[in-house]
Amino acid sequence: MRFDEAYSGNVFIGSHSNYMESKAVLYGMPMDWTVSYRPGSRFGPTRIREVSIGLEEYSPYLDRELEEIKYFDAGDIPLPFGNPQRSLDTIKEFVDKLLAADKFPLGMGGEHLVSWPVMKAVSEKYADLAIIHMDAHTDLREHYEGEPLSHSTPIRKIAELIGPKNVYSFGIRSGMKEEFEWAKQEGMHISKFEVLEPLKEILPKLAGRPVYVTIDIDVLDPAHAPGTGTVDAGGITSKELLASIHAIAGSKVNVVGADLVEVAPIYDVSEQTANTASKLIREMLLGFVK
Amino acid sequence: MRFDEAYSGNVFIGSHSNYMESKAVLYGMPMDWTVSYRPGSRFGPTRIREVSIGLEEYSPYLDRELEEIKYFDAGDIPLPFGNPQRSLDTIKEFVDKLLAADKFPLGMGGEHLVSWPVMKAVSEKYADLAIIHMDAHTDLREHYEGEPLSHSTPIRKIAELIGPKNVYSFGIRSGMKEEFEWAKQEGMHISKFEVLEPLKEILPKLAGRPVYVTIDIDVLDPAHAPGTGTVDAGGITSKELLASIHAIAGSKVNVVGADLVEVAPIYDVSEQTANTASKLIREMLLGFVK
Amino acid sequence: MRFDEAYSGNVFIGSHSNYMESKAVLYGMPMDWTVSYRPGSRFGPTRIREVSIGLEEYSPYLDRELEEIKYFDAGDIPLPFGNPQRSLDTIKEFVDKLLAADKFPLGMGGEHLVSWPVMKAVSEKYADLAIIHMDAHTDLREHYEGEPLSHSTPIRKIAELIGPKNVYSFGIRSGMKEEFEWAKQEGMHISKFEVLEPLKEILPKLAGRPVYVTIDIDVLDPAHAPGTGTVDAGGITSKELLASIHAIAGSKVNVVGADLVEVAPIYDVSEQTANTASKLIREMLLGFVK
Amino acid sequence: MRFDEAYSGNVFIGSHSNYMESKAVLYGMPMDWTVSYRPGSRFGPTRIREVSIGLEEYSPYLDRELEEIKYFDAGDIPLPFGNPQRSLDTIKEFVDKLLAADKFPLGMGGEHLVSWPVMKAVSEKYADLAIIHMDAHTDLREHYEGEPLSHSTPIRKIAELIGPKNVYSFGIRSGMKEEFEWAKQEGMHISKFEVLEPLKEILPKLAGRPVYVTIDIDVLDPAHAPGTGTVDAGGITSKELLASIHAIAGSKVNVVGADLVEVAPIYDVSEQTANTASKLIREMLLGFVK
Amino acid sequence: MRFDEAYSGNVFIGSHSNYMESKAVLYGMPMDWTVSYRPGSRFGPTRIREVSIGLEEYSPYLDRELEEIKYFDAGDIPLPFGNPQRSLDTIKEFVDKLLAADKFPLGMGGEHLVSWPVMKAVSEKYADLAIIHMDAHTDLREHYEGEPLSHSTPIRKIAELIGPKNVYSFGIRSGMKEEFEWAKQEGMHISKFEVLEPLKEILPKLAGRPVYVTIDIDVLDPAHAPGTGTVDAGGITSKELLASIHAIAGSKVNVVGADLVEVAPIYDVSEQTANTASKLIREMLLGFVK
Amino acid sequence: MRFDEAYSGNVFIGSHSNYMESKAVLYGMPMDWTVSYRPGSRFGPTRIREVSIGLEEYSPYLDRELEEIKYFDAGDIPLPFGNPQRSLDTIKEFVDKLLAADKFPLGMGGEHLVSWPVMKAVSEKYADLAIIHMDAHTDLREHYEGEPLSHSTPIRKIAELIGPKNVYSFGIRSGMKEEFEWAKQEGMHISKFEVLEPLKEILPKLAGRPVYVTIDIDVLDPAHAPGTGTVDAGGITSKELLASIHAIAGSKVNVVGADLVEVAPIYDVSEQTANTASKLIREMLLGFVK
């Protein structure tokens, strides 16, 4: 009977009730205040949890069930509206604690800038970190209309921190000319338009290395993810994105953290984007958390 | 820090974390399987909780804050999809326990049929119970196309149980001719079209009696509650409904339980219906729980 | 069993299956090609029929049931897309036949221009015809950007045909300065902003006369009818519009035909506008067809 | 002129007006009361008919026109809301009559459970029946939270009736581990994720046998069918589903009945799902009815 | 011919093409980064302009046409996403120039915080400034979760700058208890729930004084303005808001600037909120600019 | 400062402010009055411009930036609502002037009939013109229900004018049997269902010839373009359409004009269709204007 305890509410399906015993922690980063186009991704994590009740806990792709791994849903990190710097600091502090406790961090955005403090925290723990980045956009700007803390800058920031050669971007189909040129000059990997095939080529080179996987839902074609801030035609299908996650899961890289960002539910009355995101989260849990 | 406990998730704003210490219990009854027109109210309670974060905890109408009363959000009662009888039995059993523990039951529907087992349970505790019913529809059918368990029958059932003279309906603007005639013959009170003025006349007559308040959100005009199964033009405004709740709160009746039913979020992209419902729930808590 | 006859499909609730025996005929005029702002009212009649299944056949306002009158739902008149003149000719021909057979014509638009051929046909049958017109807009233009066949002109046309003094407009809150001035000069009645109170004053003056009632759904406030081409704030409530229909029904005027136009379903995901329109059609049938 | 007969209303485009002369019968099964996630498929058949006016009657895929086959649109079977058993009995009785009259049954759902009584009826007529099942979900549960009559059970029921070896599922990407294991143990065919290629392999093995084809619209990726109860990423395209229908049409199997289920219009403001469903219905008519 | 000049694009209907000759300037402040609930008001000004083509240029309320006043649509002020301080500075600088050139500033939000720098600028020009504030919310917080620059603080800021006794709030129905108490202690006027009647009492007291009018669209009931960030039931109608603007226009106060904020189009598929806002802007221009 | 000039408003991103200096001219043709199914494409051009702010000005496909070409956004051509003939004449006159000034015409619809006067104008300038037509529909009718000016006829008209052998249609998956037969008899090229592969075969045959490219957005699958009048399942992806535009851009044909038609924003709450259209317009500018 639920009378003996607090209602556990809107948690992701199959989550474990005990933080201490959990290997992985799922958390939301409900921030969207630096986006230049359509806001609303602050509500992404809540809606992804809500629709996860439509999911089975078993993956026929990976032949694995959620009960085989223990993960804790920590809810959304409370962030100060409209203050990017304090928000990023709060996220960093939260993830530092997870990493200190040897938890696998699995984040849900929020705008892509939230990945920056997480990647920074992970890079401080793992010396030889590589980033696998799936996105429609380069996100390699130094600043956006004068703001260095912008949803267009997180990949640039981590590239400058750990070295551009350690960042691998896939599916990119939008950016400024200068961003593509910067990447080329600095030796950063960018696979334009495609994800799965170039990923399969890169994965063996990363074997054994710690890898953080950051996925912007807009790497999907708008047909597959209309509920995001900046939809950009010519993307991949959800079938290809699932296969890409499974390719990483089946490779020899050591995934040490991951996130899925930019789900903005209001633009998708059918809620297909949130439903797809909840399936991707399940596959990331089952595929990445050993 | 949230690491020490399970994430408390999507609970109604200001709810208390301890069942034992609480005077009132808020719960969802996510059932919509007998509706004859548009389903979807099963998702009402979840969405009402979700949007309650947009509410203040203070009511300038009642000059009272949620922290002044202790109430526990018990979440949604798990109900067997497509089985009305088992669903109603489950609700009855749940509410029986609340009443045995002297908790004030505040339910969220779900279709209106969910009020039937609650009203039955309350009537078993309070001998002289009266019902205040606000609705666009009479809900006085004996059966609907042969089904006695239908969203069109709950008021008939409770009227037959406690006597039609103890049921007071307000705002009614839709029903079969036979339903209106039955009410008239049996001495049941029906105020057609209006709520606040006739309510003010009736309340003094009910002074001191235990009263259960059941509100179908469609008593509101469709302009004020588009997100419900059966919208029916010519209803009251949310301002009038708020004033009606405050009239009851300020009267000498002894409210012993209440519910708000038929919020169906999918028909309302703006979410105004769920937001309005969350405000009504707050006012019912602050006004009815002493 | 339905095997013996063609499926009667999507007809308005309670319609009679035999044209010959019917006193009234309900028909759709699915034309929207001259509108200057948002099109889509061609789908109004179909959706109004579809949602009519959510209605009761009894009106507690008029204490009358649909089975007490016999009316036939003739479906939508097939109209040539993009050709206003041929469309209007087709409507005229259709209504002429109805009137020759002494049927009460009850039309559903479509844009307001469809009322013009109907009013013309009715005026040819009834010498002393008056028009009761409820609308947000004057519709008194001579032409719109050079086009004499425009949704902005129908009231001007009928006023010129039967004399402006025989046209009574209510609820008007939008138009060109020249339109208001023309009406004033010509002695045409315009009640700005309000409907019910001025209507109650006018009705006794029209006692005994044949009257055609044309209602543009946008006489309602956008809150009550978001699903229309040109929403205009500051309108009346659906409660007031119902009361206005009932005022006409209870007066001594001789209603000889009526229509309800400009329902455009696509702008209203909740379908409240179509549902409200279906209730208004029911009340017009029960109130106007003796 | 339509005055001589009842308005034939909202029927599927190109349907024949005489039941006796028709080879095939199209009918709706508007039931959605056992679904565990999002209801609303009760309105699928009505909306599919409504949007069919946007279709051509000619298929450039099959080079055939609807007038070449005679089919009758029988409308929706009236079902008792909230009573699964009575609903299924009513469907069974209806289809039994069709089969007795040697009509080809083509059903539109409604939730997938409606296929169960139809498949049962068909299996009673055709001794060696095989089932071709396209779906995102296994639908092989014995019961759902205690309910044996659930939208998650129809394929299990028919498999148990005619033998699991006679059931062929395609496109499956969601289910419980136990369901997949049961199928494997029992020798039931399940093609995970893909439809067209495995179907082409299976069809020759079924040559000459009577086959019933049941398609859950959610076999399509959510991008292609957002308007359904349970969207599940990683599905096939509408192009692939069309090709799969054409593959069956061009094979040597003897299709003796078919259905398309789970279209829930409210989740798809663009109405693409209903439009796609109407095209699929046309291709099933032209491809399956000889 | 438009070939000789740049396309003038999406400007508010009836705007004048020459800044120098204009008495009033309309401008957008597309900022929404500090909102605590639903963002999206950054797109308000653009959508309000877009739908203004559905408006007539004549007001039958004020018997005045837009061509009688000259106003210039300056477009949206470019603001740095996610940086509240720089955004507010940019707005201040823009409005300072308008005021220096003796233009009447009419702003469109954006979140309510954008009114703060405008009111500050106006107060620096007019010594005896009073504020008329219509809103559902007090907006009197000192900070929101630690942030002094928040959409919940603008009225507090201006009250502290010009003195709480010079600020008059109307229609307030939401806020923290502390905010109401602060207002009471400081002698600031708050009319709870109502606007028109208390406004009529206050206006004579302000005769001759310079007044800035700031209207949050959420002073309207959600039925009349679903497209806003924080909908709150129990508000006024658009008819009452129009009458309130007309009451100010007809009074002896000297309106020296105004704004309308918090229109968030994405929450309103019907676009009624943007259409209503465009009508309010027209009435503010015609009523306030002499 | 924008005070010195009129606000340039809602223009397509990167457009040049001077008509005389521009090589290409972008213009809208906001007509939708002859469509037989769902209207609304009149608002396509405005919405495409509005969402173009979400685009980068650089194409990683073509490695080219918008600033490398000069194009002028001329806005929408004002067209008389409901009068097809006058509308087409107005378009013809407009494009004649563009061509006389040697501008590259790039049009945005509106319904497909708007392409007819443009193609006619272009054919009068270029003797050996060929048409590349991408569409779901043949558009080869002589008339539609008696109307020769219909959205179903433009390709028939141009084929009759310049000879069917000079018209190449791709992606066609809907039409009347007679239309396909007419094309076959007359030697007109139709590639059913596919675009990219057959286009690659045809392009070399057209080397050196002047070519006009007309794209109906419904050549895309409904998943990729839900916001159009007539959605038709089984279409191509946006990735394939982008590749097709790039194939033409990289070929030896001489593109002398182009258009993109039938974007109807209201059917697509997510605005993915308008966003995709804005990207297609960018690629057409960068690929076709040398």
Side-chain angles (χ1 to χ4, degrees), chain A residues 125-281:
Chain A
K125 178 167 183 180
Y126 298 98
D128 191 28
L129 186 70
I131 303 290
I132 291 181
H133 167 227
M134 304 180 197
D135 201 332
H137 304 87
T138 44
D139 288 2
L140 287 171
R141 297 197 186 196
E142 283 195 273
H143 50 78
Y144 191 88
E145 298 189 7
E147 290 302 318
L149 289 182
S150 156
H151 74 128
S152 304
T153 62
I155 303 304
R156 176 67 170 261
K157 289 187 185 302
I158 190 65
E160 291 183 342
L161 184 69
I162 67 170
K165 291 192 175 72
N166 296 312
V167 179
Y168 297 81
S169 291
F170 300 89
I172 307 301
R173 54 193 191 275
S174 187
M176 296 170 72
K177 189 172 188 169
E178 292 73 14
E179 295 177 83
F180 287 95
E181 288 174 347
W182 182 85
K184 201 170 185 180
Q185 284 167 4
E186 302 293 328
M188 177 185 148
H189 176 92
I190 292 185
S191 286
K192 286 195 294 189
F193 318 131
E194 302 303 328
V195 176
L196 185 57
E197 290 313 312
L199 181 66
K200 283 180 179 169
E201 288 180 29
I202 295 294
L203 282 170
K205 301 181 191 169
L206 299 177
R209 283 183 64 183
V211 166
Y212 185 86
V213 179
T214 180
I215 303 177
D216 186 322
I217 195 82
D218 71 17
V219 72
L220 290 173
D221 191 88
H224 295 272
T228 190
T230 307
V231 288
D232 191 75
I236 66 171
T237 66
S238 60
K239 201 181 245 187
E240 291 167 67
L241 183 50
L242 284 164
S244 300
I245 290 171
H246 298 146
I248 297 172
S251 77
K252 294 183 176 165
V253 308
N254 175 25
V255 184
V256 296
D259 62 48
L260 177 66
V261 300
E262 296 284 6
V263 173
I266 186 62
Y267 305 104
D268 180 4
V269 175
S270 75
E271 294 190 334
Q272 70 164 103
T273 314
N275 277 281
T276 293
S278 76
K279 182 167 181 174
L280 294 170
I281 290 291

Side-chain angles (χ1 to χ4, degrees), chain E residues 34-155:
Chain E
T34 81
V35 302
S36 57
Y37 189 32
R38 308 191 304 185
S41 61
R42 68 177 67 183
F43 296 117
T46 295
R47 194 57 58 90
I48 292 170
R49 285 186 190 97
E50 187 181 321
V51 303
S52 73
I53 62 162
L55 274 185
E56 297 285 349
E57 298 190 31
Y58 170 73
S59 166
Y61 302 87
L62 295 165
D63 190 23
R64 205 176 181 207
E65 291 180 291
L66 284 176
E67 68 176 16
E68 297 177 44
I69 57 165
K70 282 184 177 149
Y71 77 97
F72 179 80
D73 183 349
D76 281 8
I77 307 175
L79 300 176
F81 307 107
N83 190 325
Q85 189 58 61
R86 272 186 59 209
S87 298
L88 300 185
D89 293 347
T90 305
I91 293 170
K92 177 73 161 49
E93 185 183 359
F94 178 92
V95 176
D96 279 339
K97 287 187 185 161
L98 291 189
L99 294 171
D102 273 333
K103 307 296 187 191
F104 182 99
L106 183 53
M108 298 184 286
E111 58 169 287
H112 212 160
L113 186 56
V114 299
S115 302
W116 158 231
V118 183
M119 294 188 291
K120 187 162 187 287
V122 172
S123 76
E124 290 167 2
K125 179 166 181 179
Y126 299 97
D128 191 29
L129 186 70
I131 303 290
I132 291 180
H133 167 227
M134 304 180 196
D135 200 333
H137 305 88
T138 44
D139 288 1
L140 287 171
R141 296 197 185 196
E142 282 194 274
H143 51 77
Y144 192 88
E145 297 188 10
E147 291 301 318
L149 291 181
S150 156
H151 73 128
S152 304
T153 62
I155 303 304

Side-chain angles (χ1 to χ4, degrees), chain C residues 47-113:
Chain C
R47 194 57 60 89
I48 292 170
R49 286 187 190 95
E50 186 180 323
V51 302
S52 71
I53 62 163
L55 275 185
E56 296 285 350
E57 299 190 30
Y58 170 72
S59 166
Y61 302 88
L62 295 165
D63 191 22
R64 205 174 181 209
E65 290 179 294
L66 283 176
E67 67 175 17
E68 297 178 44
I69 58 166
K70 281 184 178 150
Y71 78 96
F72 179 81
D73 183 349
D76 282 8
I77 307 175
L79 300 177
F81 307 108
N83 190 324
Q85 189 58 61
R86 274 186 56 209
S87 298
L88 301 186
D89 293 347
T90 304
I91 292 169
K92 177 72 162 51
E93 186 184 358
F94 179 92
V95 176
D96 279 339
K97 287 188 184 161
L98 292 189
L99 294 172
D102 274 331
K103 307 296 186 190
F104 182 99
L106 183 53
M108 298 184 286
E111 57 168 288
H112 212 161
L113 185 55

Side-chain angles (χ1 to χ4, degrees), chain D residues 145-195:
Chain D
E145 297 190 8
E147 291 302 319
L149 292 181
S150 156
H151 73 128
S152 304
T153 62
I155 303 305
R156 176 65 170 262
K157 289 187 184 302
I158 189 65
E160 291 183 343
L161 183 69
I162 66 170
K165 290 191 175 75
N166 296 311
V167 179
Y168 298 82
S169 290
F170 300 89
I172 309 301
R173 54 193 190 276
S174 187
M176 296 170 71
K177 189 172 190 171
E178 292 74 12
E179 295 177 82
F180 287 95
E181 289 175 347
W182 181 86
K184 202 170 184 181
Q185 285 168 4
E186 301 293 328
M188 179 186 145
H189 176 92
I190 292 185
S191 285
K192 286 195 293 189
F193 317 131
E194 302 302 329
V195 177

